[in-house]
Amino acid sequence: MSLLDQAIVGLLPLVPKPIVRRFSSRYIAGDDLTSAMRTIRRLNSGRLMATVDVLGEFISRLDEANATAAEYERVLAAVQAERLDANISIKLSGFGLLLDQDHCYRLVEELCRAAARRHSFVRIDMEDSSCTTDTLNIYRRLRAAGHDNVGVVLQAYLRRSMEDIEALLPLNPSVRVCKGIYVESENLAFKDPDEIRASYERMVERLLAAGCYVGMATHDPALVRSGEALVRRLGLHPAAYEFQMLLGVAEDIRQRLIDAGHRLRVYVPYGAEWYAYSVRRLKENPRIAGYVLRNLIAGR
Ligand code: FDA
């Protein structure tokens, strides 16, 4: 990130919430389930699948984890009632991973059951590296208990990810592969963009060649192209994989993929915790953050 970008990002906390909200509205479905449902309907009508993220990973009490789980059950019920094409993405810290792992496991297991009853699927997002081992352990526990409608995420920037793949392969896991969004130290994570891309490609190829279902979560045009070339080379049916993108990002690429016959799932975040999520998105995209600040200074 350039010095100017760093300065812009540093100023973000000073931007009034209504302005952050206006500029982040394309990344967030809204405050509540009603807005999320509206977004899913719109996506589905454009042949896009969805995965719903209830915002709120920063919790300090288990009753907040219970509330998050209950909200996800409402999502599953609403999606099934309208026969929409959407599953759910959860962050284990929002289910109490850092407070009580057994409690977290029980909540997620119950959610997997609820999802199975509604023919749906639970994707466990991957958080920072302090959560990786615990997250994968909970995933393994769920699979050992017979829950097959659950998948994980592995991050290409982590040096350990290829080993994690090898260890998970006997489970024939469903894996979302992404670059990784958290700030990690050099001993744990690749820093060079080309190294991260190479790791991403190796991971996707290893998983697809082993017959695993892969969600290729990226907006990087080079990785999208290599993903397309790989599925062509492996002769895979579009049902064997999907592309995934964040709401409001790279809509031109996403349309091209759909028109080419690939399946694509859009990550749809909603909830009262929209502010923290928006600031994270804006920090990743200083160009938009700069736009926000210029408008603020111009008094618009
Ligand atoms: P890159 O960062 O190079 O972006 C390519 C281009 O896409 C950028 O130049 C920009 O134009 C655009 N772009 C990318 N991100 C943008 C944004 N937020 N706002 C605006 N424009 C943007 N990470 C993680 O650690 N754990 C997880 O569980 C997930 N889950 C997840 C699900 C889905 C569906 C997606 C798409 C991504 C994630 N991620 C994630 C985030 C992921 O790790 C990564 O940080 C972002 O996808 C950005 O990486 P790209 O591969 O898109 O490349």
Side-chain angles (χ1 to χ4, degrees):
M1 205 188 285
S2 74
L3 279 179
L4 178 63
D5 288 346
Q6 276 176 31
I8 287 172
V9 163
L11 286 172
L12 269 180
L14 304 177
V15 179
K17 269 190 172 185
I19 293 185
V20 175
R21 179 173 204 125
R22 182 143 53 89
F23 284 87
S24 56
S25 58
R26 59 181 295 195
Y27 302 121
I28 309 221
D31 286 348
D32 55 15
L33 180 54
T34 307
S35 345
M37 292 297 288
R38 199 178 307 123
T39 302
I40 299 168
R41 270 182 230 118
R42 179 171 53 78
L43 291 168
N44 279 184
S45 69
R47 293 177 289 156
L48 296 156
M49 308 178 289
T51 186
V52 181
D53 169 34
V54 177
L55 294 170
E57 62 258 45
F58 308 109
I59 64 161
S60 53
R61 298 187 322 268
L62 288 178
D63 59 313
E64 294 173 287
N66 300 345
T68 303
E71 182 66 12
Y72 271 109
E73 294 214 15
R74 290 182 59 220
V75 173
L76 290 169
V79 164
Q80 191 195 27
E82 288 196 35
R83 297 171 187 273
L84 293 175
D85 191 344
N87 61 32
I88 54 175
S89 286
I90 66 171
K91 288 191 174 51
L92 292 189
S93 59
F95 284 70
L97 183 74
L98 308 173
L99 304 173
D100 179 339
Q101 290 203 11
D102 281 332
H103 188 88
C104 173
Y105 176 80
R106 283 193 298 276
L107 284 181
V108 177
E109 184 175 37
E110 191 43 49
L111 194 60
C112 287
R113 276 201 202 96
R117 283 195 298 274
R118 299 184 186 282
H119 314 289
S120 191
F121 180 86
V122 179
R123 172 76 57 192
I124 304 177
D125 287 352
M126 189 55 83
E127 299 175 70
D128 68 74
S129 59
S130 68
C131 298
T132 312
T133 300
D134 292 338
T135 300
L136 294 179
N137 284 343
I138 288 204
Y139 171 71
R140 283 198 187 86
R141 238 174 116 181
L142 289 163
R143 294 297 308 278
H147 301 288
D148 292 336
N149 62 329
V150 58
V152 273
V153 177
L154 292 174
Q155 297 149 322
Y157 66 9
L158 284 192
R159 297 177 191 274
R160 60 176 280 174
S161 287
M162 207 60 195
E163 273 173 42
D164 287 329
I165 287 180
E166 296 304 329
L168 289 171
L169 276 185
L171 297 176
N172 187 30
S174 165
V175 182
R176 171 194 298 154
V177 180
C178 64
K179 285 186 180 174
I181 207 170
Y182 301 89
V183 179
E184 302 288 356
S185 65
E186 180 132 29
N187 61 324
L188 296 178
F190 301 115
K191 293 286 174 187
D192 175 53
D194 286 337
E195 252 183 316
I196 298 173
R197 279 196 194 96
S199 164
Y200 188 102
E201 289 176 338
R202 273 196 307 276
M203 289 168 63
V204 170
E205 174 149 21
R206 180 72 181 111
L207 286 162
L208 284 176
C212 300
Y213 189 85
V214 177
M216 291 180 267
T218 182
H219 324 90
D220 182 332
L223 289 181
V224 169
R225 272 196 304 276
S226 67
E228 287 182 279
L230 179 63
V231 297
R232 207 177 310 120
R233 179 154 58 79
L234 295 175
L236 295 178
H237 188 272
Y241 62 90
E242 63 190 47
F243 285 93
Q244 299 186 347
M245 294 191 183
L246 301 173
L247 185 66
V249 180
E251 291 174 356
D252 50 340
I253 307 183
R254 124 185 153 185
Q255 194 53 47
R256 186 184 67 65
L257 286 169
I258 289 295
D259 292 342
H262 301 288
R263 293 156 74 244
L264 196 143
R265 188 176 303 276
V266 177
Y267 193 90
V268 177
Y270 83 90
E273 298 292 327
W274 62 269
Y275 181 75
Y277 181 88
S278 308
V279 169
R280 254 196 344 256
R281 291 275 87 88
L282 290 170
K283 279 183 178 172
E284 281 161 40
N285 199 334
R287 203 171 47 82
I288 294 184
Y291 192 36
V292 173
L293 287 177
R294 272 198 300 281
N295 276 274
L296 177 64
I297 291 160
R300 274 178 276 155

